[in-house]
Amino acid sequence: EVQLQASGGGLVQAGGSLRLSCAASGFSFSDYSTGWFRQAPGKEREGISWISSSTGSTYYVDSVKGRFTVSSDNAKNTVYLQMNSLKPEDTAVYYCAADRSTLLTYYPPREEEFDYWGQGTLVTVSS
């Protein structure tokens, strides 16, 4: 059974850091690419970052560039999103998603590209 398990969310003060994890079971991240999405209250879900675990290629939307870092540990079959210098506007439910393609078609990533989704983890940044 294919599953993605996102974790690591929580409450943090503005300027703080969190690291989100996305653990996969039932498939190997090394054969997939992974996107991170977030959905803030009252807003649509948006793609914010992407990584190809096979090539190491990454993408960041402008609003997180320079503050967030996506990485992949193929041995642990886990993708991470290190989030630094967090702002209140980063408050959202964060989701990871896996795509069988190792290429990113849309910039920023679009939901329809991705085949498997994790359940989401809540990040709350207080001012």
Side-chain angles (χ1 to χ4, degrees):
E1 181 183 5
V2 172
Q3 283 190 330
L4 290 177
Q5 180 74 35
S7 61
L11 174 63
V12 64
Q13 288 188 331
S17 299
L18 282 174
R19 188 178 77 160
L20 305 184
S21 299
C22 178
S25 59
F27 71 99
S28 174
F29 264 137
S30 61
D31 299 327
Y32 285 68
S33 60
T34 306
W36 284 97
F37 291 75
R38 67 185 181 187
Q39 187 166 19
K43 295 188 177 181
E44 293 187 352
R45 190 154 56 183
E46 61 168 342
I48 61 169
S49 184
W50 172 90
I51 185 168
S52 168
S53 297
S54 60
T55 68
S57 297
T58 59
Y59 167 83
Y60 302 94
V61 71
D62 285 348
S63 59
V64 307
K65 195 176 296 181
R67 300 187 297 123
F68 291 9
T69 302
V70 62
S71 62
S72 178
D73 186 334
N74 290 343
K76 295 183 178 180
N77 216 23
T78 300
V79 169
Y80 303 97
L81 185 68
Q82 178 67 44
M83 306 186 297
N84 298 330
S85 302
L86 283 162
K87 305 175 181 180
E89 51 263 43
D90 294 318
T91 294
V93 177
Y94 284 70
Y95 301 86
C96 60
D99 179 13
R100 293 187 185 92
S101 171
T102 58
L103 299 175
L104 185 61
T105 303
Y106 300 107
Y107 295 83
R110 294 184 189 178
E111 295 182 47
E112 57 261 36
E113 288 191 80
F114 294 85
D115 304 295
Y116 305 117
W117 288 82
Q119 84 288 4
T121 184
L122 176 63
V123 172
T124 304
V125 184
S126 63
S127 56

